[in-house]
Amino acid sequence: WETILRLRTQMDEREERLADLSRRLQVERGWLSTLSAPQARSANMTATPAGNPSLHGRVVYDPATRRAFIVLEHMAAPSAQDYQLWAVQTGGSKSLGVIRSNEVGTAVLRVTDAGDPQGLYAFEVSLEHKGGSTKPGPSGPIVLSGTLRN
């Protein structure tokens, strides 16, 4: 009887794990559809004169879902500072959050609402104080920029 209970518990745990993996797979398929959407627009992000020349990245934006998938390289921020991502749209910039990179400086961002496709035309990264800008727009220098193209 104890063996049966133990096996049932293990089976329940594995079913929960399988359900979790299935949910995660659906999320990843959604992001894959963003990357392969026929109407997707992209931007190559390059360093501005205020940025380190090694900074670069790529954005893929799906206007139908308003989702953006962004990969940035060499994004280890100087101490006491953070990089912050901005959607540049008609009427101003919208913060998409502070960028957190891994130990080698790569940041992968999945933005569920990058902005209205009618007004969104570029993405920028600014160098801000720790925690990012609290203003409606960047307060630090723009170090990386890219314009969306069809």
Side-chain angles (χ1 to χ4, degrees):
W1 178 252
E2 289 175 5
T3 301
I4 291 171
L5 286 176
R6 183 176 41 81
L7 290 172
R8 281 189 181 159
T9 300
Q10 287 177 353
M11 198 164 85
D12 289 345
E13 289 170 354
R14 289 196 174 118
E15 285 176 357
E16 285 178 30
R17 174 84 171 126
L18 182 60
D20 179 56
L21 289 171
S22 181
R23 283 188 295 274
R24 291 169 68 189
L25 179 60
Q26 285 304 105
V27 168
E28 295 304 320
R29 283 184 177 147
W31 285 107
L32 180 59
S33 70
T34 297
L35 291 170
S36 60
Q39 69 278 14
R41 299 169 64 199
S42 64
N44 289 322
M45 297 189 73
T46 56
T48 67
N52 183 321
S54 68
L55 298 175
H56 66 275
R58 180 146 175 90
V59 176
V60 176
Y61 169 72
D62 179 6
T65 63
R66 298 170 66 136
R67 291 166 37 143
F69 191 88
I70 304 152
V71 178
L72 304 169
E73 299 288 336
H74 306 287
M75 298 304 297
S79 70
Q81 293 183 297
D82 278 323
Y83 288 115
Q84 188 166 355
L85 179 66
W86 301 90
V88 183
Q89 27 194 11
T90 308
S93 296
K94 169 187 165 186
S95 175
L96 298 178
V98 170
I99 298 168
R100 301 287 179 223
S101 64
N102 65 16
E103 61 279 351
V104 296
T106 300
V108 177
L109 298 99
R110 299 169 186 209
V111 179
T112 55
D113 186 359
D116 180 7
Q118 299 303 315
L120 179 64
Y121 62 89
F123 289 87
E124 294 178 334
V125 173
S126 63
L127 182 59
E128 303 289 345
H129 57 81
K130 200 74 166 165
S133 175
T134 56
K135 296 180 178 181
S139 57
I142 301 299
V143 296
L144 194 61
S145 180
T147 302
L148 285 170
R149 62 189 188 326
N150 293 330

